[in-house]
Amino acid sequence: MARNLSSPSADDQNYLALLDGLKSRIRTVQIDAALAVNQKLIQLYWYVGREILARQQEQQWGSKVVDRSSQDLRREFPGIKGFSRSNLMYMRAFAEAWKNESIVQGLLDNLP
């Protein structure tokens, strides 16, 4: 018995509905995961900046700590970008501008 290819069967329609639901869920989870990763990275960047800033203030370390930290972090984590000297300086500036961790966390909680 030949099937009419112009009109999908109920099974085809049910399958397409299933597939649409799965694709929608996968996209939603991908977006949620990307947002969670971004939040964690921002927290990490603030933490790194705060630690550098604190050492410079408390122990009178100069800018060499940024250079050395950059080199050591890039050597330890070669597959991760973002630990250049200039990026560490941005992290330090971020922590200097937003000293209170609860404010940073509040901002992160309000990201879309």
PDB file of all heavy atoms in Angstrom, residues 63-81:
ATOM      1  N   SER A  63      53.980  46.101  40.246  1.00  0.00           N
ATOM      2  CA  SER A  63      53.319  45.570  39.054  1.00  0.00           C
ATOM      3  C   SER A  63      53.968  44.279  38.556  1.00  0.00           C
ATOM      4  O   SER A  63      53.398  43.581  37.731  1.00  0.00           O
ATOM      5  CB  SER A  63      53.315  46.614  37.945  1.00  0.00           C
ATOM      6  OG  SER A  63      54.641  46.918  37.554  1.00  0.00           O
ATOM      7  N   LYS A  64      55.146  43.956  39.073  1.00  0.00           N
ATOM      8  CA  LYS A  64      55.811  42.713  38.662  1.00  0.00           C
ATOM      9  C   LYS A  64      54.973  41.486  39.020  1.00  0.00           C
ATOM     10  O   LYS A  64      55.047  40.464  38.338  1.00  0.00           O
ATOM     11  CB  LYS A  64      57.193  42.590  39.314  1.00  0.00           C
ATOM     12  CG  LYS A  64      58.182  43.618  38.832  1.00  0.00           C
ATOM     13  CD  LYS A  64      58.691  43.256  37.478  1.00  0.00           C
ATOM     14  CE  LYS A  64      59.788  44.220  37.085  1.00  0.00           C
ATOM     15  NZ  LYS A  64      60.084  44.182  35.686  1.00  0.00           N
ATOM     16  N   VAL A  65      54.164  41.582  40.078  1.00  0.00           N
ATOM     17  CA  VAL A  65      53.322  40.445  40.455  1.00  0.00           C
ATOM     18  C   VAL A  65      52.322  40.143  39.345  1.00  0.00           C
ATOM     19  O   VAL A  65      51.977  38.980  39.108  1.00  0.00           O
ATOM     20  CB  VAL A  65      52.608  40.675  41.801  1.00  0.00           C
ATOM     21  CG1 VAL A  65      51.537  41.757  41.710  1.00  0.00           C
ATOM     22  CG2 VAL A  65      51.984  39.381  42.290  1.00  0.00           C
ATOM     23  N   VAL A  66      51.890  41.155  38.635  1.00  0.00           N
ATOM     24  CA  VAL A  66      50.957  40.947  37.521  1.00  0.00           C
ATOM     25  C   VAL A  66      51.675  40.228  36.386  1.00  0.00           C
ATOM     26  O   VAL A  66      51.151  39.263  35.821  1.00  0.00           O
ATOM     27  CB  VAL A  66      50.352  42.278  37.051  1.00  0.00           C
ATOM     28  CG1 VAL A  66      49.465  42.082  35.840  1.00  0.00           C
ATOM     29  CG2 VAL A  66      49.583  42.949  38.187  1.00  0.00           C
ATOM     30  N   ASP A  67      52.874  40.682  36.066  1.00  0.00           N
ATOM     31  CA  ASP A  67      53.657  40.032  35.006  1.00  0.00           C
ATOM     32  C   ASP A  67      53.927  38.566  35.345  1.00  0.00           C
ATOM     33  O   ASP A  67      53.717  37.678  34.517  1.00  0.00           O
ATOM     34  CB  ASP A  67      54.989  40.748  34.797  1.00  0.00           C
ATOM     35  CG  ASP A  67      54.828  42.169  34.292  1.00  0.00           C
ATOM     36  OD1 ASP A  67      53.812  42.455  33.623  1.00  0.00           O
ATOM     37  OD2 ASP A  67      55.712  42.991  34.571  1.00  0.00           O
ATOM     38  N   ARG A  68      54.377  38.336  36.552  1.00  0.00           N
ATOM     39  CA  ARG A  68      54.733  36.974  36.957  1.00  0.00           C
ATOM     40  C   ARG A  68      53.485  36.082  37.023  1.00  0.00           C
ATOM     41  O   ARG A  68      53.516  34.937  36.583  1.00  0.00           O
ATOM     42  CB  ARG A  68      55.442  37.002  38.305  1.00  0.00           C
ATOM     43  CG  ARG A  68      55.927  35.655  38.738  1.00  0.00           C
ATOM     44  CD  ARG A  68      56.786  35.747  39.967  1.00  0.00           C
ATOM     45  NE  ARG A  68      57.201  34.415  40.363  1.00  0.00           N
ATOM     46  CZ  ARG A  68      57.859  34.164  41.470  1.00  0.00           C
ATOM     47  NH1 ARG A  68      58.196  35.147  42.276  1.00  0.00           N
ATOM     48  NH2 ARG A  68      58.198  32.937  41.778  1.00  0.00           N
ATOM     49  N   SER A  69      52.407  36.612  37.580  1.00  0.00           N
ATOM     50  CA  SER A  69      51.161  35.836  37.655  1.00  0.00           C
ATOM     51  C   SER A  69      50.674  35.472  36.262  1.00  0.00           C
ATOM     52  O   SER A  69      50.222  34.349  36.023  1.00  0.00           O
ATOM     53  CB  SER A  69      50.074  36.631  38.388  1.00  0.00           C
ATOM     54  OG  SER A  69      50.434  36.864  39.722  1.00  0.00           O
ATOM     55  N   SER A  70      50.748  36.416  35.349  1.00  0.00           N
ATOM     56  CA  SER A  70      50.326  36.162  33.978  1.00  0.00           C
ATOM     57  C   SER A  70      51.130  35.022  33.368  1.00  0.00           C
ATOM     58  O   SER A  70      50.568  34.088  32.794  1.00  0.00           O
ATOM     59  CB  SER A  70      50.483  37.432  33.134  1.00  0.00           C
ATOM     60  OG  SER A  70      50.246  37.160  31.782  1.00  0.00           O
ATOM     61  N   GLN A  71      52.431  35.084  33.508  1.00  0.00           N
ATOM     62  CA  GLN A  71      53.292  34.036  32.952  1.00  0.00           C
ATOM     63  C   GLN A  71      53.000  32.680  33.589  1.00  0.00           C
ATOM     64  O   GLN A  71      52.861  31.666  32.889  1.00  0.00           O
ATOM     65  CB  GLN A  71      54.763  34.398  33.159  1.00  0.00           C
ATOM     66  CG  GLN A  71      55.214  35.578  32.335  1.00  0.00           C
ATOM     67  CD  GLN A  71      56.599  36.071  32.750  1.00  0.00           C
ATOM     68  OE1 GLN A  71      57.257  35.482  33.600  1.00  0.00           O
ATOM     69  NE2 GLN A  71      57.022  37.175  32.148  1.00  0.00           N
ATOM     70  N   ASP A  72      52.885  32.663  34.913  1.00  0.00           N
ATOM     71  CA  ASP A  72      52.665  31.400  35.617  1.00  0.00           C
ATOM     72  C   ASP A  72      51.283  30.807  35.321  1.00  0.00           C
ATOM     73  O   ASP A  72      51.152  29.599  35.140  1.00  0.00           O
ATOM     74  CB  ASP A  72      52.854  31.587  37.117  1.00  0.00           C
ATOM     75  CG  ASP A  72      54.312  31.820  37.491  1.00  0.00           C
ATOM     76  OD1 ASP A  72      55.197  31.442  36.695  1.00  0.00           O
ATOM     77  OD2 ASP A  72      54.564  32.393  38.576  1.00  0.00           O
ATOM     78  N   LEU A  73      50.256  31.645  35.262  1.00  0.00           N
ATOM     79  CA  LEU A  73      48.910  31.148  34.977  1.00  0.00           C
ATOM     80  C   LEU A  73      48.801  30.629  33.547  1.00  0.00           C
ATOM     81  O   LEU A  73      48.173  29.594  33.299  1.00  0.00           O
ATOM     82  CB  LEU A  73      47.872  32.238  35.240  1.00  0.00           C
ATOM     83  CG  LEU A  73      47.648  32.587  36.709  1.00  0.00           C
ATOM     84  CD1 LEU A  73      46.760  33.822  36.840  1.00  0.00           C
ATOM     85  CD2 LEU A  73      47.063  31.408  37.472  1.00  0.00           C
ATOM     86  N   ARG A  74      49.419  31.322  32.612  1.00  0.00           N
ATOM     87  CA  ARG A  74      49.382  30.854  31.220  1.00  0.00           C
ATOM     88  C   ARG A  74      50.149  29.547  31.061  1.00  0.00           C
ATOM     89  O   ARG A  74      49.761  28.687  30.283  1.00  0.00           O
ATOM     90  CB  ARG A  74      49.910  31.930  30.281  1.00  0.00           C
ATOM     91  CG  ARG A  74      48.888  33.063  30.105  1.00  0.00           C
ATOM     92  CD  ARG A  74      49.300  34.053  29.080  1.00  0.00           C
ATOM     93  NE  ARG A  74      50.490  34.761  29.561  1.00  0.00           N
ATOM     94  CZ  ARG A  74      51.233  35.546  28.826  1.00  0.00           C
ATOM     95  NH1 ARG A  74      50.953  35.746  27.562  1.00  0.00           N
ATOM     96  NH2 ARG A  74      52.271  36.161  29.338  1.00  0.00           N
ATOM     97  N   ARG A  75      51.218  29.390  31.816  1.00  0.00           N
ATOM     98  CA  ARG A  75      51.983  28.139  31.758  1.00  0.00           C
ATOM     99  C   ARG A  75      51.170  26.998  32.390  1.00  0.00           C
ATOM    100  O   ARG A  75      51.128  25.889  31.869  1.00  0.00           O
ATOM    101  CB  ARG A  75      53.316  28.305  32.490  1.00  0.00           C
ATOM    102  CG  ARG A  75      54.232  27.124  32.372  1.00  0.00           C
ATOM    103  CD  ARG A  75      55.631  27.308  32.972  1.00  0.00           C
ATOM    104  NE  ARG A  75      55.802  28.294  34.012  1.00  0.00           N
ATOM    105  CZ  ARG A  75      56.288  29.551  33.803  1.00  0.00           C
ATOM    106  NH1 ARG A  75      56.630  29.932  32.589  1.00  0.00           N
ATOM    107  NH2 ARG A  75      56.422  30.395  34.793  1.00  0.00           N
ATOM    108  N   GLU A  76      50.500  27.267  33.480  1.00  0.00           N
ATOM    109  CA  GLU A  76      49.719  26.237  34.177  1.00  0.00           C
ATOM    110  C   GLU A  76      48.448  25.848  33.417  1.00  0.00           C
ATOM    111  O   GLU A  76      48.019  24.703  33.448  1.00  0.00           O
ATOM    112  CB  GLU A  76      49.337  26.732  35.578  1.00  0.00           C
ATOM    113  CG  GLU A  76      48.571  25.731  36.413  1.00  0.00           C
ATOM    114  CD  GLU A  76      49.395  24.521  36.827  1.00  0.00           C
ATOM    115  OE1 GLU A  76      50.639  24.609  36.885  1.00  0.00           O
ATOM    116  OE2 GLU A  76      48.778  23.468  37.104  1.00  0.00           O
ATOM    117  N   PHE A  77      47.837  26.828  32.742  1.00  0.00           N
ATOM    118  CA  PHE A  77      46.580  26.601  32.020  1.00  0.00           C
ATOM    119  C   PHE A  77      46.731  27.015  30.554  1.00  0.00           C
ATOM    120  O   PHE A  77      46.141  28.003  30.115  1.00  0.00           O
ATOM    121  CB  PHE A  77      45.444  27.404  32.677  1.00  0.00           C
ATOM    122  CG  PHE A  77      45.255  27.082  34.130  1.00  0.00           C
ATOM    123  CD1 PHE A  77      45.733  27.938  35.113  1.00  0.00           C
ATOM    124  CD2 PHE A  77      44.606  25.921  34.518  1.00  0.00           C
ATOM    125  CE1 PHE A  77      45.560  27.651  36.465  1.00  0.00           C
ATOM    126  CE2 PHE A  77      44.429  25.620  35.853  1.00  0.00           C
ATOM    127  CZ  PHE A  77      44.914  26.487  36.832  1.00  0.00           C
ATOM    128  N   PRO A  78      47.503  26.269  29.782  1.00  0.00           N
ATOM    129  CA  PRO A  78      47.801  26.688  28.410  1.00  0.00           C
ATOM    130  C   PRO A  78      46.584  26.716  27.490  1.00  0.00           C
ATOM    131  O   PRO A  78      46.569  27.456  26.515  1.00  0.00           O
ATOM    132  CB  PRO A  78      48.820  25.653  27.929  1.00  0.00           C
ATOM    133  CG  PRO A  78      48.613  24.471  28.805  1.00  0.00           C
ATOM    134  CD  PRO A  78      48.152  25.011  30.126  1.00  0.00           C
ATOM    135  N   GLY A  79      45.558  25.947  27.810  1.00  0.00           N
ATOM    136  CA  GLY A  79      44.373  25.917  26.961  1.00  0.00           C
ATOM    137  C   GLY A  79      43.366  27.010  27.272  1.00  0.00           C
ATOM    138  O   GLY A  79      42.367  27.150  26.579  1.00  0.00           O
ATOM    139  N   ILE A  80      43.631  27.788  28.317  1.00  0.00           N
ATOM    140  CA  ILE A  80      42.697  28.837  28.722  1.00  0.00           C
ATOM    141  C   ILE A  80      43.276  30.187  28.355  1.00  0.00           C
ATOM    142  O   ILE A  80      44.381  30.537  28.767  1.00  0.00           O
ATOM    143  CB  ILE A  80      42.418  28.776  30.237  1.00  0.00           C
ATOM    144  CG1 ILE A  80      41.811  27.430  30.612  1.00  0.00           C
ATOM    145  CG2 ILE A  80      41.498  29.916  30.648  1.00  0.00           C
ATOM    146  CD1 ILE A  80      41.592  27.260  32.105  1.00  0.00           C
ATOM    147  N   LYS A  81      42.527  30.929  27.589  1.00  0.00           N
ATOM    148  CA  LYS A  81      42.963  32.277  27.237  1.00  0.00           C
ATOM    149  C   LYS A  81      42.419  33.248  28.283  1.00  0.00           C
ATOM    150  O   LYS A  81      41.473  32.947  28.974  1.00  0.00           O
ATOM    151  CB  LYS A  81      42.437  32.653  25.858  1.00  0.00           C
ATOM    152  CG  LYS A  81      42.987  31.764  24.764  1.00  0.00           C
ATOM    153  CD  LYS A  81      42.666  32.311  23.394  1.00  0.00           C
ATOM    154  CE  LYS A  81      43.115  31.395  22.306  1.00  0.00           C
ATOM    155  NZ  LYS A  81      44.501  31.296  22.092  1.00  0.00           N
TER     156      LYS A  81
END
